[in-house]
Amino acid sequence: MRIVYPTVSLQNILAVTPELLREIGVTALILDVDNTLSLHGSQSPAEGTVEWSWNMRQNGIKMMILSNNTRDRVRPFAAQYGLDFLSRGCKPLPFVYRSAARKMHVERKSVAVVGDQIFTDVLGANLCGMKSILLEPIQKEGSFSFRLRRKMERGIRNRLQQDKVDRERK
Ligand SMILES: [Mg+2]
């Protein structure tokens, strides 16, 4: 089941640093929107994330936004970061990640997908040979389909947490 495990798991996007990316050989990021950069459906960037994105770019990290949400939702949001974007992404299907890598002129193995969902963000990245960075969702969602998805994620997230504890003990 390696295909559903991320390269790295972190609390939130602000914990992604140029140093960490250098360690895992990543020079470009594909960023999810809902519950990664903002609350679900919100046009307001989460605190510190616009500055974070500028800092990453100043450190030579390329990035673009990729969301399964609509163009109307994603375009004005991406504009606040000054970032290129793809909407209606059909994540986790690999073709959309491949076109994102092409747009950024980077090899797939140098790209990390950053997102809050295992069965879209992480799975899609792993399916097409990219790295993946799993975050905690900014806020828990209320709908039935989301609760189901989070329930399916729980075992994997628990295991990641356990791995972290084991590493710290060593
Ligand atoms: Mg998301």
Side-chain angles (χ1 to χ4, degrees):
M1 287 300 275
R2 284 248 62 96
I3 202 83
V4 293
Y5 282 90
T7 314
V8 182
S9 69
L10 298 168
Q11 185 66 37
N12 63 48
I13 202 160
L14 303 181
V16 178
T17 61
E19 294 72 34
L20 169 76
L21 298 183
R22 213 167 297 135
E23 269 174 45
I24 60 173
V26 163
T27 59
L29 298 175
I30 294 175
L31 306 172
D32 173 48
V33 174
D34 290 302
N35 255 328
T36 293
L37 288 172
S38 72
L39 292 176
H40 193 89
S42 165
Q43 282 297 339
S44 307
E47 207 184 330
T49 56
V50 172
E51 297 79 359
W52 169 87
S53 78
W54 283 111
N55 179 46
M56 297 302 275
R57 280 175 276 178
Q58 272 166 11
N59 278 278
I61 306 298
K62 295 181 179 182
M63 48 178 77
M64 69 180 295
I65 283 177
L66 170 59
S67 171
N68 279 352
N69 218 318
T70 61
R71 187 177 167 81
D72 284 352
R73 188 269 185 273
V74 181
R75 187 155 72 147
F77 187 78
Q80 299 183 69
Y81 292 84
L83 285 174
D84 198 3
F85 70 95
L86 288 167
S87 54
R88 284 259 179 247
C90 305
K91 292 189 277 186
L93 297 183
F95 70 90
V96 66
Y97 296 89
R98 287 201 285 263
S99 49
R102 266 199 305 276
K103 271 189 149 201
M104 293 192 285
H105 305 286
V106 285
E107 280 185 277
R108 275 182 266 163
K109 66 176 169 51
S110 310
V111 179
V113 176
V114 185
D116 65 295
Q117 286 196 57
I118 291 172
F119 296 102
T120 53
D121 303 305
V122 172
L123 178 62
N126 289 343
L127 283 174
C128 68
M130 291 180 178
K131 311 236 162 48
S132 52
I133 300 176
L134 177 67
L135 308 176
E136 295 297 321
I138 295 178
Q139 189 179 56
K140 298 264 180 272
E141 306 86 351
S143 74
F144 174 74
S145 80
F146 258 111
R147 273 182 294 157
L148 184 65
R149 266 180 266 180
R150 295 303 181 194
K151 198 169 176 173
M152 287 160 57
E153 288 184 350
R154 201 164 303 146
I156 298 165
R157 286 187 187 270
N158 288 346
R159 170 95 182 268
L160 289 167
Q161 188 54 37
Q162 191 56 48
D163 288 350
K164 211 171 266 179
V165 171
D166 291 347
R167 265 200 309 277
E168 280 160 14
R169 277 214 193 107
K170 270 180 203 158

